[in-house]
Amino acid sequence: MKTVLIDDALLVSNYIKGDENSLTTLITRHKQRIYSFIYSKVYDRDVSEDIFQDTFIKVINTLKRGRYNEEGKFLPWVMRIAHNLVIDHFRRNNRMPKFDNDGEFSIFSVLSDNCLNAEKQLIKDQVECDVRRLIEELPDDQKEVLYMRVYQEMSFKDISEKTGVSINTALGRMRYALINLRKVIDKHNIILTN
């Protein structure tokens, strides 16, 4: 007897129309791949199970609300949900750096950790090296202000006096330096974490 494999798009469509078995088929089909992905990030079976279940709760809710856009990419969509839930898990457990949400992104908040084990120290050193390499790509005036502010811990008043520009100009250069660093990081999909 020949088995016919129904594609994901048809299963999703059938589920939305009320066929609960279609969802069971989708979960069975992709369980191993999604669960393995989650486990490879968290290394904990219980947490992986929880995130896996949360992933499919989100999938079900999105499908039932009619918010799923079918582009034949069911698995990548589910993997993205799982990835976001893994990140949420790490954030809840303070295992990822937190950024103050004051509108200004500070790449250097990633580098502040007072008690480091050997592995974290290696990662921190690599992140610092990467940040310095990224800074080298900035225009000279922005790079100068950024070095003075971050590495020499100078006030903007001192930077203003040393560079011969107004405080507002020094502030502007720092702002543009951070904006340009963010653009470079986004462009190259760089992840800076310790």
Side-chain angles (χ1 to χ4, degrees):
M1 187 162 124
K2 194 176 182 183
T3 45
V4 179
L5 204 66
I6 302 170
D7 73 343
D8 289 352
L10 184 57
L11 288 168
V12 168
S13 175
N14 290 344
Y15 174 71
I16 291 170
K17 291 174 188 167
D19 178 13
E20 297 289 327
N21 290 329
S22 293
L23 182 69
T24 305
T25 304
L26 282 166
I27 292 172
T28 305
R29 179 178 292 174
H30 298 298
K31 176 179 170 112
Q32 189 59 46
R33 193 154 171 205
I34 297 164
Y35 180 85
S36 296
F37 166 77
I38 295 167
Y39 185 80
S40 75
K41 305 297 179 210
V42 298
Y43 297 108
D44 181 303
R45 291 195 186 286
D46 292 335
V47 172
S48 296
E49 280 291 332
D50 289 346
I51 293 173
F52 180 83
Q53 288 175 9
D54 289 346
T55 299
F56 273 93
I57 288 170
K58 273 197 168 223
V59 166
I60 290 166
N61 288 338
T62 303
L63 292 175
K64 288 202 181 230
R65 286 189 198 118
R67 292 196 177 153
Y68 175 67
N69 289 336
E70 178 51 61
E71 296 169 1
K73 297 182 175 160
F74 177 77
L75 182 61
W77 174 64
V78 176
M79 294 294 265
R80 198 165 48 250
I81 291 171
H83 178 261
N84 291 340
L85 289 171
V86 166
I87 290 172
D88 290 347
H89 163 75
F90 284 129
R91 284 189 181 136
R92 273 194 311 273
N93 292 290
N94 297 318
R95 288 177 56 190
M96 285 182 77
K98 291 203 170 123
F99 302 105
D100 295 331
N101 199 4
D102 60 1
E104 275 299 307
F105 171 81
S106 175
I107 199 166
F108 303 99
S109 64
V110 176
L111 306 176
S112 59
D113 191 349
N114 297 332
C115 55
L116 298 175
N117 62 25
E119 180 185 9
K120 281 189 175 182
Q121 184 63 52
L122 283 172
I123 293 169
K124 180 177 180 281
D125 292 344
Q126 182 61 51
V127 169
E128 286 176 352
C129 178
D130 291 344
V131 168
R132 287 182 187 267
R133 200 177 72 245
L134 293 172
I135 291 170
E136 287 304 313
E137 295 184 28
L138 294 174
D140 289 339
D141 57 346
Q142 294 174 17
K143 185 178 1 179
E144 178 184 39
V145 170
L146 194 137
Y147 270 119
M148 289 180 189
R149 180 74 179 141
V150 175
Y151 294 105
Q152 297 172 4
E153 298 180 356
M154 293 173 67
S155 70
F156 283 106
K157 182 177 184 242
D158 294 338
I159 293 170
S160 166
E161 290 170 3
K162 186 161 184 173
T163 59
V165 298
S166 72
I167 291 177
N168 283 341
T169 300
L171 284 165
R173 287 178 181 173
M174 182 66 177
R175 181 173 179 272
Y176 284 115
L178 293 174
I179 288 169
N180 288 331
L181 277 176
R182 188 184 312 166
K183 284 180 185 171
V184 172
I185 289 167
D186 289 344
K187 178 180 164 193
H188 298 293
N189 289 324
I190 297 170
I191 298 172
L192 298 170
T193 184
N194 58 8

